[in-house]
Amino acid sequence: MGMFKRRQAPPATSVGGNLLTPWERERVDALWRLTALPRDGFEATYGVLLARFWRYVSAAKGEAWTALRSEALTAAVAALRARQARVLPRFAAAEDAARLAEVMSFALAAAVVAERFGLVAGRASAPGWCPLTADVPAEAVLADRSVPRAYGALLLPRLAGETGLGWLAQERIALDALAAYFGGGPSDLRAIAEQAETRVGLPLAREGVSEGAPEGGCVADDEAVASASTDGQSTTDAQSQEDIGGEAAGWRWVNWVRAGLADGSIAVNAASGWLHNIAGEAYVVVPEGFEAFAALEGVAVGTLRNRVVRLGRHRERSTRSGAANTFRAELPDGRRVDGMVFPGELIWEADAPPEATGKLGPRRR
């Protein structure tokens, strides 16, 4: 596939052209940052997938279709973020691990988007329209009926694009994982999707499917496990942590992070993750650390970040132009990123996770 080349800085999003709103373009860029693909590889796979779905419903009328686009993107971003704390596939040979991990991420995103689109498209009807071969017409109406959750699997081959389908077809494990996602048995990918969609408040009702991952399936990343209260404190004790702060909107993000640490849905020190314990302080990579909750709140990432900044609980540094609120850091996974620094006790109180080997770099000028 030649997917793994040097990554470049994100250009203006080309997925879907003028079909995407500014918020949707921001979500697509967030999705790209959760992959290891260069931008052209992302555009040829995820980009084509999303563009074809968007075109499929571009003529459809009504709030249900608008909400569908927003929810599908939010769920896809959340799923890839949750997937970062999972080893998937579990027993891949070292030389194959990176390649297989990337195609499994694509399979996850494709399944999440296809499932949500299928549940709505399966309710649509119009004279002479065939949903498997043609886009949704403007005159389509939505019936009040239930749709089999596997309906999205029927749409996926048409909408994934030649490159994306070819990538999936090269790896039998990815095809098996997609089939399991839409089947009635246990599924690694579906378990990740369910965790993620619950976290962002978009759970789907999936009746008649087995819970959990199959034996030998994905497991939590070792660093994520180490950060999820392995010191003997019970989960019940961790989940009893109460909200802190006042009425300011930024406190909702703080308490969302604290709750995520308590229930294990947010990992600390995970490879490619956005929350790290550096020298006892909570280091939050930006903008990644604000993306999921911004989607949940329905606001821009910058708006959410400004709300948190106004709390005044972060560390600042002096610059020639005044105070700045981001610090450069080198993380254990080799990334050099910008992020905000918060007191550890604000985020995890006395139950601090292990410290990462990352370090804050020289102050940026």
Side-chain angles (χ1 to χ4, degrees):
M1 284 292 292
M3 289 292 179
F4 296 96
K5 302 176 182 177
R6 183 175 62 86
R7 285 170 66 86
Q8 63 261 29
T13 301
S14 60
V15 173
N18 294 329
L19 293 176
L20 271 67
T21 66
W23 181 89
E24 289 170 344
R25 294 191 185 98
E26 184 180 86
R27 294 290 82 207
V28 171
D29 287 340
L31 194 67
W32 173 68
R33 286 193 294 268
L34 291 167
T35 76
L37 299 177
R39 191 64 190 221
D40 57 353
F42 175 86
E43 294 286 346
T45 52
Y46 291 82
V48 169
L49 173 76
L50 294 174
R52 290 191 174 199
F53 272 114
W54 260 232
R55 292 190 185 102
Y56 185 76
V57 300
S58 61
K61 307 296 183 182
E63 295 182 1
W65 299 103
T66 302
L68 169 63
R69 287 167 39 152
S70 171
E71 292 174 3
L73 261 182
T74 299
V77 172
L80 258 62
R81 190 171 301 287
R83 186 256 182 279
Q84 290 182 324
R86 300 278 182 154
V87 178
L88 183 65
R90 181 177 182 182
F91 298 114
E95 62 271 20
D96 299 326
R99 185 189 80 252
L100 293 178
E102 203 62 39
V103 72
M104 291 293 275
S105 290
F106 178 61
L108 172 62
V112 166
V113 175
E115 182 180 25
R116 289 183 177 270
F117 269 80
L119 291 175
V120 178
R123 296 166 47 208
S125 62
W129 173 57
C130 176
L132 300 184
T133 60
D135 295 342
V136 180
E139 62 271 21
V141 295
L142 292 176
D144 184 14
R145 72 181 188 91
S146 61
V147 177
R149 50 175 298 276
Y151 195 96
L154 299 175
L155 302 178
L156 188 54
R158 175 177 180 263
L159 302 174
E162 182 178 351
T163 301
L165 286 176
W167 190 20
L168 293 169
Q170 286 180 7
E171 308 293 351
R172 178 61 181 269
I173 192 171
L175 292 181
D176 289 348
L178 274 174
Y181 184 98
F182 289 102
S187 163
D188 289 333
L189 297 185
R190 193 172 62 243
I192 296 173
E194 289 173 345
Q195 177 196 42
E197 65 198 23
T198 298
R199 192 77 198 110
V200 295
L202 296 171
L204 290 177
R206 295 182 177 90
E207 297 181 359
V209 298
S210 299
E211 297 181 356
E215 184 177 355
C218 65
V219 295
D221 180 87
D222 289 343
E223 287 184 316
V225 171
S227 68
S229 69
T230 56
D231 60 354
Q233 182 180 21
S234 69
T235 302
T236 301
D237 290 341
Q239 291 178 333
S240 66
Q241 185 169 269
E242 296 181 354
D243 286 354
I244 62 172
E247 297 297 322
W251 285 112
R252 292 200 294 271
W253 175 83
V254 173
N255 286 306
W256 173 78
V257 176
R258 286 163 56 88
L261 291 176
D263 64 24
S265 60
I266 295 179
V268 184
N269 302 333
S272 301
W274 54 263
L275 179 61
H276 298 264
N277 180 353
I278 299 182
E281 296 182 293
Y283 185 82
V284 176
V285 179
V286 296
E288 290 85 342
F290 299 111
E291 289 171 345
F293 192 69
L296 183 59
E297 291 272 286
V299 299
V301 172
T303 298
L304 174 62
R305 179 175 167 180
N306 288 338
R307 291 175 178 177
V308 176
V309 167
R310 285 196 290 270
L311 297 179
R313 300 305 304 270
H314 60 288
R315 182 159 34 120
E316 294 185 336
R317 58 183 176 83
S318 299
T319 69
R320 293 177 181 176
S321 58
N325 55 42
T326 59
F327 291 78
R328 194 70 165 169
E330 182 174 345
L331 300 179
D333 58 14
R335 287 181 297 156
R336 294 183 178 180
V337 297
D338 291 323
M340 295 180 66
V341 179
F342 298 88
E345 59 271 17
L346 177 72
I347 304 299
W348 45 68
E349 295 187 347
D351 186 25
E355 291 188 10
T357 56
K359 60 181 180 180
L360 295 181
R363 293 181 175 179
R364 304 189 72 190
R365 298 184 181 278

